[in-house]
Amino acid sequence: MPAPDFLDSADAAIYTLRTTARGPSGELPVSAELLRSAPSGQVFGLTQNAGMGWDPRKLLGREFLILSTQGGIRAPDGTPVALGYHTGHWEVGLLMEAAARVISDRGGIPFAGYVSDPCDGRTNGTRGMLDSLPYRNDAAIVLRRLIRSLPTARGVLGIATCDKGLPAMTMALAGTPQLPGVLVPGGVTLLAEEAEDTAKVQTLGARFAHGEIELSYAAEMGCKACGSPGGGCQFMGTAATSQVVGEALGLSLPHSALSPSGAPIWLDLARRSARALMELDRAGRKTGDILTDDSIHNAMVLHAAFGGSSNLVLHLPAIAHAAGLRRPVAADWARINAAVPRLVDVLPNGPTHFATVQVFLAGGVPEVMLHLRDLGLLRLGAATVTGQSLERNLEWWERSERRSRLRAKLRELDGIDPNRVILSPQRAAAAGLTSTLTFLHGNLAPEGALVKSTAIDPGLVGPDGVFRHEGPARVFGSEAAAIAAIKSTGPDAIQPGDTVVLAGIGPAIGMPETYQITSALKYLPNGQRVALVTDGRFSGVSTGACVGHVSPEAWADGPIGRLRDGDVVRIVVDTRKLTGSIDVVSVDAATLAGRAPSPKLKRHPDVPDDTRLWAALQGVSGGSWGGCVYDADRICALLARGGQASAQPERP
């Protein structure tokens, strides 16, 4: 049998070798005092900088670190050499380059590091989703370690886009309060012409299984959904919401969230952000000066006004924890959602379903903030990376040429009135836009649950603003079993009025999201008349009567793990008062408590040890209601006591 041809090469040029080479010419700009007093690493760092080709005469410039979630290998002409996990990080290297050139042109020395991120859309319905939420903590740790590993850095520019990479980057900046930091959101994907959006296209399989579409249609739509090769998704999911929240925190420049990836205005943002970072350093302003309780408040207000992803209930407390601030709890979210009207008409919430790039052209975060300012809902004294207060930034935005020209551009390009995308409070109320989140209690969720009430089909909400569902449970112990029943057209098919109960996918196994189920229910006939109840979480683009974060989870002996097929579940959501309940009404509490766990509840065979460790650490640090963080003080104290004490998650 011949040897494989890759064992050696036929190219004679590989033997053109040498063991020495002349090093860089010139001299390090060192002084006698520096050599006597500086750590050896600082001097050796200068040697390595020269070795990488930096002009030795410029080695004493201020050093700045640019971090991103870049993925894939992109040729200079934009064609792929190796694919990334998703479009969201595919082009962000261009932002890094633009920012780096500004830093070097101004006499600084840019450094760059990378921590790529996964795609929740790619891993939906697969075992890869078991790593999705735990990845966020890992990435934040690595990013912070990279920052600390460049001890000469004067500031950090963080560039990221998507569901876990952007929250991780924000946590990393928040956890580095002693340095100035600027967050650059990596933008959004353009809408594709004559195509489905990137939310709806993820339901091709379910619709095809039900005969709703032809194979040729699925093949074409699946190919053309992304209008541009870079950027986060076209809807207000977790990626886009995280961009909005980053700007609301004051960590990003005004009108930076939701910029169209690849456009000149997108590259310009990177250049201006680099200038802002250098100015923060010159002025002695640190990230710890910007992130405050007022920042967290403003971020929660913007989340509610945009109708943002429910996953920010996990991410914003984690950002606050990283910054050493009080973590918002469910009562804070409930209070703010009750006070803040939703003002943005955007996918997936509707009612018209504009895309994120259209929200950007309509004015994005600062335009929404003008309405919130007039309602007295913002803390206008909050500091921002501009060096000015939020109030001053909004005064600039209100009279800026940028605002007037971009809003006019939306009319010109798409014939859309920007005031239909970002509505005044009066217009929003007249259009029936409901508030974002509702927290539920009941015998099925003694420690609470949540629903994105703004995404419930308005046709299912009564004239009193209350959604009511009462139907038999269809219990599933795995997402695969649930999606098989949803796709089925046989006797096992899900029926209108059913309550799909998906148990055993809570924090104990990584708290995977369940978008393939929620999206299928949205686009299948009568799917909106099916409720979903789970101890897992949802994609930010999920819609419908989807109750998640049910706690205690099944693996913590929660009631959801003791349900049986046919048990009648009642869900009540008051979309105006933002109160509600979730109860089993066909059996009494004693009977339910006395049951053994459902025989359908089975440990997922593919949960990795990394995720099991994450589950244990976040479980004693406040659990999902506390943001799934690692509370080092709490963990160390428990280890010192032999781990005997138990930690309860913060109750809503």
Side-chain angles (χ1 to χ4, degrees):
M1 182 175 181
D5 62 3
F6 53 75
L7 284 180
D8 205 349
S9 173
D11 185 359
I14 68 171
Y15 299 107
T16 305
L17 297 167
R18 60 189 302 177
T19 59
T20 64
R22 185 174 294 276
S25 60
E27 297 179 344
L28 293 184
V30 295
S31 64
E33 178 59 27
L34 185 144
L35 290 175
R36 290 191 185 99
S37 61
S40 64
Q42 184 175 344
V43 179
F44 184 54
L46 296 175
T47 298
Q48 293 191 89
N49 295 348
M52 287 183 279
W54 207 262
D55 187 339
R57 295 168 296 180
K58 300 179 180 179
L59 286 177
L60 294 185
R62 292 183 293 162
E63 297 178 0
F64 295 92
L65 177 58
I66 306 171
L67 293 173
S68 90
T69 55
Q70 178 178 336
I73 303 173
R74 184 182 181 278
D77 65 356
T79 57
V81 178
L83 295 173
Y85 288 95
H86 54 85
T87 60
H89 60 215
W90 175 245
E91 291 186 322
V92 295
L94 300 176
L95 296 175
M96 298 183 80
E97 181 180 350
R101 293 191 182 282
V102 167
I103 291 171
S104 58
D105 288 348
R106 291 172 174 251
I109 303 177
F111 287 75
Y114 311 87
V115 180
S116 195
D117 56 345
C119 175
D120 283 0
R122 186 179 294 273
T123 60
N124 248 286
T126 75
R127 62 185 181 183
M129 184 52 72
L130 303 174
D131 285 293
S132 172
L133 184 55
Y135 163 88
R136 183 205 65 180
N137 288 14
D138 296 343
I141 289 170
V142 174
L143 288 164
R144 285 195 295 267
R145 290 191 188 280
L146 286 174
I147 294 170
R148 294 191 294 268
S149 297
L150 189 66
T152 50
R154 303 284 294 267
V156 185
L157 198 71
I159 303 175
T161 303
C162 284
D163 291 32
K164 301 305 177 298
L166 187 50
M169 187 69 74
T170 312
M171 290 166 64
L173 294 179
T176 314
Q178 74 280 7
L179 287 176
V182 176
L183 183 67
V184 182
V188 298
T189 307
L190 299 181
L191 285 169
E193 297 170 356
E194 300 178 355
E196 295 184 354
D197 62 75
T198 52
K200 186 175 183 179
V201 78
Q202 294 182 57
T203 68
L204 290 173
R207 286 183 286 150
F208 177 75
H210 278 262
E212 296 292 310
I213 56 174
E214 298 292 332
L215 180 61
S216 59
Y217 178 87
E220 181 184 3
M221 290 299 107
C223 183
K224 66 190 298 185
C226 297
S228 56
C233 289
Q234 302 145 341
F235 44 79
M236 190 54 58
T238 305
T241 307
S242 296
Q243 294 188 38
V244 167
V245 162
E247 185 175 338
L249 286 168
L251 287 177
S252 302
L253 290 180
H255 199 232
S256 58
L258 314 181
S259 180
S261 184
I265 199 169
W266 174 79
L267 283 172
D268 176 74
L269 168 64
R271 290 189 284 264
R272 291 186 295 109
S273 296
R275 288 162 50 195
L277 178 64
M278 298 184 80
E279 178 57 25
L280 286 171
D281 174 56
R282 189 201 63 77
R285 294 190 177 95
K286 317 296 185 187
T287 299
D289 301 324
I290 293 170
L291 285 181
T292 64
D293 290 335
D294 286 352
S295 307
I296 300 297
H297 168 87
N298 289 340
M300 295 174 74
V301 168
L302 266 294
H303 174 274
F306 270 80
S309 163
S310 59
N311 282 317
L312 270 293
V313 174
L314 299 169
H315 298 321
L316 194 57
I319 294 165
H321 178 261
L325 301 171
R326 174 185 171 272
R327 284 182 271 178
V329 297
D332 300 312
W333 290 100
R335 170 177 50 81
I336 284 178
N337 276 265
V340 178
R342 177 163 69 92
L343 303 177
V344 183
D345 184 345
V346 62
L347 284 164
N349 304 326
T352 310
H353 302 101
F354 296 107
T356 45
V357 67
Q358 293 167 327
V359 177
F360 175 80
L361 291 175
V365 170
E367 190 67 24
V368 175
M369 282 182 163
L370 291 181
H371 294 301
L372 298 171
R373 177 197 64 182
D374 295 343
L375 292 172
L377 294 170
L378 293 172
R379 295 181 181 171
L380 297 170
T384 73
V385 293
T386 66
Q388 300 186 136
S389 67
L390 176 60
E391 184 173 29
R392 293 290 302 277
N393 289 346
L394 292 180
E395 289 171 356
W396 162 79
W397 172 257
E398 194 166 20
R399 60 177 185 272
S400 69
E401 180 185 11
R402 182 185 183 97
R403 179 193 183 207
S404 58
R405 290 190 65 174
L406 290 178
R407 285 166 61 83
K409 196 74 173 177
L410 182 58
R411 291 188 179 94
E412 174 191 334
L413 291 173
D414 297 340
I416 294 172
D417 177 359
N419 294 319
R420 290 178 52 218
V421 181
I422 297 174
L423 290 72
S424 68
Q426 297 76 19
R427 191 166 185 169
L433 272 64
T434 55
S435 295
T436 302
L437 293 178
T438 299
F439 291 85
L440 310 180
H441 299 83
N443 64 23
L444 192 52
E447 293 174 358
L450 64 80
V451 61
K452 190 176 178 183
S453 45
T454 200
I456 296 176
D457 185 347
L460 300 177
V461 178
D464 57 354
V466 178
F467 166 82
R468 296 175 177 86
H469 172 93
E470 187 170 317
R474 288 287 305 277
V475 179
F476 300 94
S478 73
E479 187 179 10
I483 194 65
I486 288 170
K487 288 183 176 181
S488 174
T489 56
D492 63 332
I494 300 296
Q495 300 298 321
D498 282 350
T499 304
V500 173
V501 177
L502 182 52
I505 65 166
I509 71 163
M511 205 174 187
E513 70 172 37
T514 58
Y515 181 60
Q516 68 164 341
I517 292 178
T518 59
S519 61
L521 292 175
K522 176 178 179 178
Y523 289 106
L524 292 181
N526 296 313
Q528 288 291 301
R529 294 176 57 200
V530 176
L532 173 63
V533 177
T534 180
D535 49 7
R537 62 186 178 90
F538 300 123
S539 164
V541 73
S542 292
T543 59
C546 304
V547 179
H549 299 233
V550 171
S551 57
E553 64 178 308
W555 293 119
D557 199 31
I560 189 173
R562 295 195 291 273
L563 287 178
R564 301 290 191 271
D565 286 343
D567 286 342
V568 179
V569 176
R570 177 188 296 156
I571 302 169
V572 179
V573 181
D574 190 322
T575 64
R576 295 174 184 170
K577 297 179 181 177
L578 301 186
T579 58
S581 58
I582 177 166
D583 295 284
V584 184
V585 296
S586 55
V587 295
D588 57 53
T591 300
L592 185 62
R595 281 180 179 171
S598 168
K600 295 182 179 180
L601 197 62
K602 292 181 173 59
R603 290 282 183 183
H604 198 297
D606 295 324
V607 178
D609 287 346
D610 304 312
T611 295
R612 291 176 56 226
L613 180 60
W614 168 87
L617 294 175
Q618 66 83 34
V620 299
S621 302
S624 61
W625 295 116
C628 295
V629 302
Y630 300 156
D631 184 334
D633 291 340
R634 172 71 170 159
I635 293 166
C636 290
L638 284 172
L639 289 174
R641 295 202 300 269
Q644 295 302 309
S646 63
Q648 294 297 320
E650 196 130 26
R651 299 192 178 199

